[in-house]
Structure formats: structure tokens, C-alpha cells
């Protein structure tokens, strides 16, 4: 049988080739086409226009600094109510975070830290000295800290504007803000899944302020729960418009919903095809984003490798051998805790691409680059 292209894709491909931004209807057509092969081909063509044959990864340390959280998002299995479940609480001291980061040496280019809305930890008094300490001891490491939800929480508690809080964080060395907290911007859906969290307008305002002050950031989308396809495409369009107003997003990261242990468990798991479609649609909709990230921890390393043929050009970070990611592990991910950089390079090369080591802001490094001194500072905890 002769294989024919879905005719609905032809006009969209023409627009992409001409650099014309896609509409909400185009996004829905891409999501609904049965022609998954041409969808992948179009996304791959766009990926290769952006980053050629390169696929990026970062040597990373990943830390969840506390699971105490007062936001009570319906999709979250990680957060703990410190009064109802006191026995399950962890709250690292600044010394513990510092020691954890250096546990496996100093040869990494990014430290990624996120935690809950914890009134005892989420304050400038805790974070600013710790950030300065990192910068002093590890000048080659970029600080990829917080999400916009955590920044809004700190701004509120310190009675600061977004402009003021970003200035404080930047002065202590903030290089990049993680893309979490975006969830789904569409108001009706957002109200149902995370009513107590930063709203869509503030999430976007915080990222735009970060960019104005020269701090880079990422953006995520949580998909595969109660949202509609319209909500997903609308989310991408709001990000594209925000990038237009105040550029500074590096990567878009689709986060597949994980159902174990949370109130939305009856939504189940996303399918492999839904994951691949989402990478491809994002690559085609977000024409002003340089990177689409397939984070092995989330869709699993096998789907993420295939995603390199559906528009993704980044596999995120190695994680250190003693890292313990908890957001996804508490929600049922089957991904392990650790992938080393040799494995990343093999997966990327097998897919026909060239692995490139990066930092948070996509400066490139030889794969065997090492910082001048790798001696970890001894810290008592
Ligand atoms: O905002 C929480 C998500 C996010 C679940 O910037 C869940 O490179 C799926 O910020 N199922 C935080 N997702 C993680 C985050 C992140 C992740 C990867 C890369 C980057 C980056 C940032 O985790 C939250 C929420 O959307 N999340 N629970 C769950 N059950």
C-alpha cells in the first residue's frame, strides 16, 4: 500500500517552512493527525533548523530541599503536610544542601534545586547565603534554582515586588529558574488542579521579569491529567507570546502526569504516542524557543531517545550517583535515579545525533571538561 501524507499537514508544513507562527487550530490538527510519521518528520526538520545534529545534556546535581508544602496541588505525591504527617517530613539545612551537592565531587555544570512552599525554608535568609557559598566554592556551576511558584511565595512573605525579589536573587548568583509551576495555564483547569499556587499571569510575569534582568529560565507543561487538547495548545501559545514580549526561555519541557499516590490517580498514565506527539507539537508551535527537552526521568529513557526524532534536542541532566529525585519517584516513575554521561552519549549517537555537554544557559563544553579543582570542601552536617 502506498503511504500518503495526511493532507491537513501540508498547509501546516508550508507555514513552518516559511517561518509563519502556527495557530491554535494548527496545533489541534497536529495533535489529532493519525499521520504520526509525518508529524515526527516535520518536528525533526524544525529541530534540525534550530540545533542541527546537536543533542544536549548537562552534568547536573539534583536536590529536593524540602517536601513540606502548603500548596496542596491535586497532582502532587511529593508534598507533605507537616502537621498531619510529621513523620514523613524532611527539611534540609543549608549545610546539608551544600554537602549533598559536593558529595560526588565538583565536576558538574549545574545544580538544580526545587522544594515545597515551606515557610521555614523558602526565604531569602536561607537561600541568599547558601547561593553565595555555592558561587564562591563552585564558580563553574550554574545555579538553576526554584520555580516561579517558589519565587512568588518568597516575594509575598518578604512583601517584595517581583522586580525586587529577582534583583536580590540575581545579586546572589541565580543563573536560571526551573520551568515548574506552569502546570496548565487555562484558568478553569488550573483552578481544579492547583488552586493555591501562583496563577498563570503571575507565573508569566515572574519569568518575564527574570528575563529582563538577565536570568534565564525554562518552561514546562503538565499534561495527561484533566486538561483538554485545547488547554495544551493554549498553554504553548501563551508561552510563545511571553517569549515574544520578554525573551529568555531556553527550553520547553513537557511533563507527563504520573498518577501514583495523588488525588488525580484516576487519570492514569500517558501513552508513548501521546508523549511523542506532545514533543512534536511543542517543537512546531514554539518557534521562538531554541530547545525542547526530553527529560529521561519523566517519559522514561526509551521514549526520550525516540523523542529525539520527534523534535526534542536535549535529554537534561545526568544526576549525581547519590541524588534522590522525589517528585517523580513519589508519583510512580520507573526511571532510576542516575544516568551517567557515557550512557547519554551512547543513546544520542545511536539516534544519529551528536552529543553536546552544556550548562544551564547552553554554553558548550568538551565531554571530558573538568573544573580546575575537584577537591570537595569538607563540611560537617
Ligand atoms: O511544577 C509534580 C511537576 C514540576 C507531578 O526546568 C508532576 O529543566 C508529573 O520544575 N506527575 C516540578 N509531574 C519539576 C520541575 C522541572 C522538571 C523537569 C525539568 C525542569 C527544568 C523543571 O513537577 C511541578 C509539576 O508540574 N509534577 N507532580 C506528577 N505527579
Amino acid at each position: 500500500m502506498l503511504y500518503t501524507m495526511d493532507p491537513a499537514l501540508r498547509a501546516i508544513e508550508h507555514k513552518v517552512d516559511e517561518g509563519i507562527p502556527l495557530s491554535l487550530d494548527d496545533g489541534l490538527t497536529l495533535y489529532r493527525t493519525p499521520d504520526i510519521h509525518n508529524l515526527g518528520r516535520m518536528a525533526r526538520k524544525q529541530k534540525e533548523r534550530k540545533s542541527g545534529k546537536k543533542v544536549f545534556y548537562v552534568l547536573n546535581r539534583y536536590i529536593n530541599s524540602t517536601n513540606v508544602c502548603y500548596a496542596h496541588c491535586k497532582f502532587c505525591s511529593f508534598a507533605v503536610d507537616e502537621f498531619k504527617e510529621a513523620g514523613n517530613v524532611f527539611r534540609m539545612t543549608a549545610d546539608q544542601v551544600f554537602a549533598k551537592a559536593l558529595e560526588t565531587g565538583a565536576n558538574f555544570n549545574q545544580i538544580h534545586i526545587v522544594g515545597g512552599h515551606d515557610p521555614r525554608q523558602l526565604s531569602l535568609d536561607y537561600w541568599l547565603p547558601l547561593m553565595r557559598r555555592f558561587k564562591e566554592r563552585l564558580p563553574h556551576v550554574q545555579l538553576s534554582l526554584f520555580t516561579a511558584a517558589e519565587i512568588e511565595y518568597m516575594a509575598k512573605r518578604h512583601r517584595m515586588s517581583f522586580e525586587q525579589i529577582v534583583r536580590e536573587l540575581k545579586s546572589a548568583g541565580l543563573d536560571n529558574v526551573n520551568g515548574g509551576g506552569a502546570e496548565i495555564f487555562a484558568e478553569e483547569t488550573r483552578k481544579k488542579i492547583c488552586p493555591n499556587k501562583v496563577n498563570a499571569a503571575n507565573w508569566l510575569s515572574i519569568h518575564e521579569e527574570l528575563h529582563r534582568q538577565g536570568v534565564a529560565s525554562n518552561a514546562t507543561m503538565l499534561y495527561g491529567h484533566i486538561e483538554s487538547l485545547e488547554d495544551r495548545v493554549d498553554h504553548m501559545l501563551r508561552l510563545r507570546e511571553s517569549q515574544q514580549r520578554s525573551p529568555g526561555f531556553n527550553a520547553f519541557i513537557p511533563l507527563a502526569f504520573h498518577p501514583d499516590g495523588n488525588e488525580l490517580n484516576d487519570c492514569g498514565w500517558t501513552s508513548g504516542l501521546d508523549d511523542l506527539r506532545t514533543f512534536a507539537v511543542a517543537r512546531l508551535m514554539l518557534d521562538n524557543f531554541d530547545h525542547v527537552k526530553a527529560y529521561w526521568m519523566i517519559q522514561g529513557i526509551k521514549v526520550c531517545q525516540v523523542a529525539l526524532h520527534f523534535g526534542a534536542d536535549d535529554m537534561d541532566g545526568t544526576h549525581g550517583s547519590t541524588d534522590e529525585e522525589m517528585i517523580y519517584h513519589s508519583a510512580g516513575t520507573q526511571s532510576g535515579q542516575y544516568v551517567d554521561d557515557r550512557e547519554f552519549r551512547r543513546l544520542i549517537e545511536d539516534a544519529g545525533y551528536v552529543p553536546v555537554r552544556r550548562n544551564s544557559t547552553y554554553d558548550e563544553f568538551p565531554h571530558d571538561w573538568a573544573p580546575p579543582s575537584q577537591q570537595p570542601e569538607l563540611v560537617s552536617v
Side-chain angles (χ1 to χ4, degrees), residues 12 28 33 37 39 75 96 106 123 127 138 140 144 163 193 200 220 281 287 292 354 374:
I12 298 179
L28 293 173
T33 180
H37 291 100
L39 176 66
F75 52 78
Q96 286 170 329
S123 82
W127 284 103
L138 299 165
H140 61 283
S144 188
E163 195 265 328
I193 63 169
T220 59
V281 176
D287 60 335
V292 172
V354 178
Q374 287 199 46

Side-chain angles (χ1 to χ4, degrees), residues 12 23 31 33 40 54 66 74 98 156-158 162 179 193 195 235-236 278 288-289 297 301 345 362 380:
I12 298 179
S23 65
Y31 255 121
T33 180
K54 292 177 184 177
T66 176
K74 302 271 189 290
F98 191 72
K156 278 188 183 158
R157 72 172 301 174
H158 293 296
F162 296 155
I193 63 169
H235 189 92
M236 294 175 194
T278 300
N288 57 5
F289 275 60
M297 175 75 69
I301 203 150
R345 290 198 295 273
Y362 289 81
S380 51

